[in-house]
Amino acid sequence: MITNTELEYKGNLYPDQIVDFNQDSDKFYFTTDNGVILEVTVIRNSTIRFRYATDHVMEPDFSYAISPDAPRGYKDLKAEETDTEYLISTAKVKILVDKKSLRVQISDLEGNIINEDELGFHYEENYTYGGNSVKMSKITQSGESFYGMGDKATHFNLKGKRVHNWVTDQYAFGKDQDPLYKAVPFYIGLHQNKAYGIFFDNTFKTHFDFAHERRNVTSFWAEGGEMNYYFFYGPDISRVVRSYTDLTGTPELPPLWALGYHQSKWSYFPESRVKQIASKFRKLKIPCDAIYLDIDYMDGFRCFTWDKTKFPDPKRMINELNEDGFKTVVMIDPGIKVDRDYWVYQEAIKNDYFCKRGDGPLMSGKVWPGQCNFPDYTNPKVREWWAGLYKELMSEVGAHAVWNDMNEPAVMEVPTKTAPLDTRHDFDGHPCSHRKAHNIYGMQMVRATYEGVKKYVYPKRPFVITRAAYSGTQRFASTWTGDNVATWEHLWIANVQVQRMCMSGMSFVGTDIGGFAEQPNGELFARWIQLGIFHPFCRVHSSGDHGDQEPWSFDKEVTDIVRKFIELRYQLLPYLYTSFYKYYKDSVPMIKPLVYHDQEDHQTHFRTDEFIFGDQILVCPVQEPNAKGRRMYIPRGRWFNYWTNETLEGGSEKWVDADIDKIPIFIKEGAIIPKYPVQQYVGELTIEELQLDVYYINGTENSMVYEDAQDGYDYTKGEYSLRNFKLTGKDKELILQQFKDGNYITSYETFKLNLMGLPFKIKSIKLDNETISLKDVKMNGGNTLHVTKDFTTLHIMGK
């Protein structure tokens, strides 16, 4: 018998009218006639969660992205009903839910629309895999811009773009190529000087269209799972970014050496070559804190082993490097070689820790060791086992940190570059296929690595790096942007990627300085170093297939320039560490794009090159060959040229001289920039005096310096030094007030104050209301003072 098999409901399905509503504390439930449920949860006054279900069934509520320490709390929550809609109000926003269509509109308390559904939630049954493809479309507001989305090698403003999230090993990726190594489904919208954010917490392959297909519509959708998104209201971009980062978490403070300069290559071996590299850094007096060992340190690329021919006594070597100030960072990949004589493989087989295909056999694929099986890091037992594998490497051999690579997971010689989609995962008790687990596989690997490293380097702090990531991975690891290329275009990409990552909650980020693939010339390498020393993670790394890429690999001029800028990074370590403290404590990104810095200035909305390092240093890399300078946008306000101390009024584009030995660097007026003396590695010197570069302002500016023991956990028990400075400048006086917190006693007793841009000659000085002799502050005829670190008020009066 032949029948018509056309599916009646094939295509998009939409919610019907609401037939039921109820409230349970901070949760509101709306049920439609055709079984769609909308759950609205008020997390905070300006953070609202929207979660949709079909067929009257909510899935188990589980997320890897959300931090267990995410703050909650609200006030003035109320709900009311009209003939046409439901209204939920908090102290910050109003949420309208339409009774006929379930569409949502969000406005501020004055009634200004912030975000509103176009078609809103809709879905389509996935007849290939089961479940639904879930979709959301929003109205694009007039003049709206879009930012965020993590690791995207495209223009910083995403207006008119379509991007995708499916973590992918993308060797030598190009501009606008997508997807890449990370999935961060979070974006920021900005219109009428009001900002909001949306985090689509769905680990399936996701897609975002920012008015690309239709100029008045922004949409996002996933190939499975739930429509589950969080809405954050600003109205400042800074508030949106901080709210998202609060939700997904921040890392603990790293050891200070992790913020130094690091040198890597695929690969440094044997031991004699590693020692040669280390020796040359010290001989040439180029500061360096870490040397990396890529996969060639292993025995046949077997993780947690050593090639005893290349490295006959790794414990001795690591100890000797450490005595000369070098930490050793080793790579660990997820692929475990199929080898029945290999102890890691034996343990995993015995305990059933490897991923399996849908019909039962082990998932296998070719990686560097050859045929490999892959641990299921979504299983808590596997993560605990994996963490334990680091005991010998960290506790006994003495490695200082671990670098997880290839953890997308990358699989060679298959078109998809990764595990088959029918691969099964535990997903912490919510069994699923690789379609759902792929984007968080690397995150769960590095989570297990973090737990192991943290356990076995204790009482010191862990330092872990990952290539693959999903939202929330920043709680466990730093990251870099993957296998880039030694080209000028990639220098531009590196700048944009790091700014975007910092806007997306992942501030501990950097790039392979100089490019991983191919070989930079000396000029490109110098220009890349000049950018890279301002990135929170600062590492040179290259494939080694195209030549050497150490600071001395080019000519003497380049070597001297590289040394000069690496020395600048070491001088700025207390400033960088303070920025990390603000990130850790208050979710403030360590690098701020200009639109973050001043969203009300529409000239910032499409800038890609300039950024704010920390809170008070403006940086603009030179990204073209043969340049003697460049035009750049100076944000509103008054800025000091770092090299000349000349001042500029911002709010317009300027030509700035920047020959090969300089890049444009400007300091915000009123800033106090702390500096250490140049060290060859963190801890080489006892800091005997903290230098404070004080930039005059006619007005008021606040600055901060955070310090602690630079490692260990005493800072969590009050053993830190936090100095808040308030600088007030007038025509003929400058007042510096200090407010101290914490119990840590620094090694130095005095500040060296370099007073920049004073419009008057110093006549007298009062320290805590006592007039002191100019001789006592060792002025020596200039605007340099030496004062005790524990003053409360320093009052400088002019003639």
Side-chain angles (χ1 to χ4, degrees), residues 430-459:
H430 306 85
C432 67
S433 74
H434 199 67
R435 294 177 63 239
K436 184 175 183 179
H438 172 82
N439 278 338
I440 54 86
Y441 184 87
M443 175 194 195
Q444 295 308 298
M445 178 193 182
V446 79
R447 174 185 178 183
T449 296
Y450 164 79
E451 293 296 341
V453 173
K454 182 173 182 176
K455 180 177 181 179
Y456 297 117
V457 301
Y458 188 83

